[in-house]
Amino acid sequence: MNLLELLSNLFLDYTLRTVALGSATLGIVSGALGTYAVLRKQSLLGDAISHAALPGIALAFLLTGSKAPLVLMLGAVAAGWVGTLLVMSILNTSRVKDDSALGLVLSVFFGFGLVLLTFIQRRPDATQAGLDKFLFGQAAALLERDVVTMAGLGTLALLTMLLFWKEFKLLSFDPEFGASLGYPIRLLDVLLTTLLVIAIVLGLQTVGVVLMSAMVVAPAAAARQWTDRLGLMVGLSAFFGALAGVSGAVISSTTTRLPTGPTIVLCISAIVLISLSGAPNRGLIWRWVRQRRNRRWLRVEAVLRDLYLLASQHADRDHGHSVAALRTMSYGRGGVAHTLGKLLRQGWVQQVGPDEWALTPAGMNEAERLVAKQEEAS
Amino acid sequence: MNNGKKAIEVTDLTVAYRDKPVLWDVDLDVPAGVLMAIVGPNGAGKTTLIKAILGLIRAAAGQVLIYGQPYLEQRRVVGYVPQRESVDWDFPTSVLDVVMMGRYGSLGWIRRPGRQEQTLALEALDKVGMRPFAERQISQLSGGQQQRVFLARALVQEAQVYFMDEPFQGVDATTERAIVRLLQDLRAAGKTVVVVHHDLQTVPEYFDWVTLLNVRRIASGPVDEVFTEQNLRLAYGGRVAFLSRDSRPDIGRSADPAAVGPMARHDLEPSAAPQESSE
């Protein structure tokens, strides 16, 4: 299928359109709310919530016999919520550390969920088919009613986030100061976590419980690389989430037997990789270039200073000095000749003999400025 | 400086972590308009005292009054400067944004900060010499600059009583001078400031009121009455050496002739350095 065909199908083909809309919704909501989880250093919480949701889905089906998206999602929200509260109460009442508490809840709930799922699958009737898609996600199975439910819940979560923007920012940056202002920080924490639970549950059908936490953490981690503003970070994270969601879901639904969750996660991983390496300021490549430039400039400064020092000991300013002398002054560090070449091109030094270098008047000015600046700094 | 009104009244404040008392039966009376230092050894409960007064830590017992009213009713008149290390300075936000958080209390739910809040924040940044940094991302600040941003945030709270947790911790000399000047301005404006402090040397110079704490309240009152060798020894368990102020020209600016310049030296026995009278 070529690109043009894919694009036209995206708008015209019912299945593809449903899949794209659904995964865009999940990407936007989990990307936006995941920002807070990342900023509050609660990345693992997303993992615990998504795993904890599995028994909720199974129980909701067992109790109601219905596979309506709203019923299953409510079951997932309830179980995810119970799991989160359990983590919080373990932390408050025992000496267990938070990573252990998260791991404990995650594995117990997930194990229980698997047991229930196996039990459901062994039942003789055929209605149970399809619950196992919650493990790794199956975008192609998305129906319009699923997407409508997702969009409704997602809009609700995002509107709540925007409504309490100021409060959530305070909660994430400095909860103690927020408490001193009189805000019920504990309550805000529960509210924000509830929104996160909703965001995660929205994506379970498409991405699956095993990998859903990636959609919480990865878009935000990538977005942080590009911006220093919370608003922009939330927006960018939502965009990255949607981009990965749509591309992953479309790829997997146009190829048979390709589970959606892993495909989406590969897409978001690519975005993270590009962001980690290529983003200005924070990116690895950028940092490497800057370090190199700094190191070179430090070397230039050192040689300039050394020449200035030598010149100040001679009445004759044009008295030349050898590379060897300069090398000794810089503790035998290499690259003196190379640096002199750079200074020569800059017009700050001149060669006055076969191996004799001296500052030009311009170089003298530069060196004086440099020395003055250093004295001021110390 | 003491106009008779009590800014802070703490009675029988007790805080415990898992049955171990961190603060034991602490009483405090702080008159309005003083600069008070809380000093004491590590683990004495200095930060806990502030947090318990502010209701950030639940007290097992005790009562806190601010200007004669329970703290919960007086939140608007109380400002707080937490320890600088308590937040993540890599948070994606600007200096101006952080300072405006000081207005969130009077803004109330949902309402966003607007032009008025921005003006107040910029004025506060002016007072701490950080106006040019208003648009800066907070991760680009030095430790001293971070501290001044926190102070500016407290200033926009427009409080009557301030609690500051170790504002002098790890800051450069410029910032230390800026903070001292700010504290004096606050006192001149009739505010009451309580500062958790760790540098005993500067207590007589910077503060006029002091509380010595070591789980229990050892002493509390005007610096010239309370900041004595005996009390310090009680608070620090005898591991404090004193140097007379004559040998320390840098604290000569102290206005109080009775003040000594004590210095915590945990490796010296108290008898190793006899106290000289400066009178």
Side-chain angles (χ1 to χ4, degrees), chain A residues 32-89:
Chain A
L33 286 160
T35 309
Y36 291 97
V38 167
L39 288 177
R40 301 176 68 206
K41 309 200 171 19
Q42 290 184 330
S43 306
L44 267 177
L45 186 64
D47 218 12
I49 291 173
S50 66
H51 282 77
L54 188 61
I57 296 167
L59 277 177
F61 173 73
L62 278 177
L63 291 178
T64 64
S66 153
K67 280 198 292 184
L70 197 61
V71 171
L72 297 185
M73 277 186 196
L74 283 180
V77 167
W81 217 66
V82 168
T84 317
L85 290 186
L86 209 59
V87 171
M88 285 180 183
S89 61

Side-chain angles (χ1 to χ4, degrees), chain A residues 39 41 95 162 165-167 169 173-174 176-177 179-184 224 228-230 282, chain B residues 18 51 56 71 75 80 87-88 90 92-93 97 101 104 108-112 135 137 153 157:
Chain A
L39 288 177
K41 309 200 171 19
R95 286 177 187 237
L162 290 176
W165 183 265
K166 171 180 104 227
E167 286 75 13
K169 188 200 277 187
F173 176 64
D174 196 348
E176 265 192 346
F177 183 71
S180 86
L181 293 178
Y183 283 99
R224 183 68 188 93
D228 278 334
R229 300 278 144 148
L230 181 62
R282 287 177 163 258
Chain B
R18 305 184 194 281
K51 287 190 178 173
L56 302 177
Y71 167 71
R75 244 184 195 131
Y80 175 43
V87 303
D88 174 13
D90 198 32
T93 191
D97 240 22
M101 285 180 189
Y104 284 12
W109 287 93
I110 317 277
R111 277 181 58 201
R112 303 279 177 93
E135 293 303 320
Q137 148 69 10
R153 184 177 69 173
Q157 289 188 265

Side-chain angles (χ1 to χ4, degrees), chain B residues 50-217:
Chain B
I50 283 194
K51 287 190 178 173
I53 290 175
L54 293 171
L56 302 177
I57 293 177
R58 204 179 337 166
Q63 190 194 21
V64 176
L65 297 179
I66 307 287
Y67 281 106
Q69 304 284 321
Y71 167 71
L72 290 182
E73 292 165 25
Q74 293 285 61
R75 244 184 195 131
R76 289 290 148 71
V77 303
V78 175
Y80 175 43
V81 180
Q83 276 183 30
R84 183 159 53 84
E85 291 85 1
S86 64
V87 303
D88 174 13
W89 287 95
D90 198 32
F91 196 86
T93 191
S94 68
V95 166
L96 187 65
D97 240 22
V98 171
V99 176
M100 282 198 292
M101 285 180 189
R103 297 302 303 167
Y104 284 12
S106 21
L107 271 175
W109 287 93
I110 317 277
R111 277 181 58 201
R112 303 279 177 93
R115 182 146 302 185
Q116 195 195 344
E117 282 69 32
Q118 193 165 330
T119 315
L120 283 167
L122 286 172
E123 278 169 20
L125 281 171
D126 245 345
K127 282 185 197 150
V128 298
M130 289 289 288
R131 177 90 178 234
F133 294 84
E135 293 303 320
R136 221 35 112 70
Q137 148 69 10
I138 56 170
S139 65
Q140 295 167 5
L141 303 178
S142 72
Q145 290 169 337
Q146 291 171 354
Q147 191 63 61
R148 282 189 264 168
V149 169
F150 261 17
L151 285 165
R153 184 177 69 173
L155 285 182
V156 301
Q157 289 188 265
E158 293 179 332
Q160 289 301 313
V161 182
Y162 282 100
F163 292 90
M164 304 184 177
D165 203 345
E166 300 263 19
F168 294 104
Q169 177 80 56
V171 301
D172 51 290
T174 320
T175 300
E176 178 145 350
R177 278 195 300 275
I179 297 175
V180 170
R181 209 162 40 236
L182 194 70
L183 292 180
Q184 285 161 353
D185 288 350
L186 285 172
R187 176 173 50 191
K191 320 270 184 184
T192 311
V193 188
V194 174
V195 177
V196 170
H197 197 54
H198 63 279
D199 183 10
L200 291 179
Q201 280 183 58
T202 50
V203 168
E205 187 189 339
Y206 294 169
F207 299 97
D208 46 33
W209 209 265
V210 67
T211 293
L212 289 112
L213 192 73
N214 191 352
V215 183
R216 293 163 176 274
R217 191 199 78 178

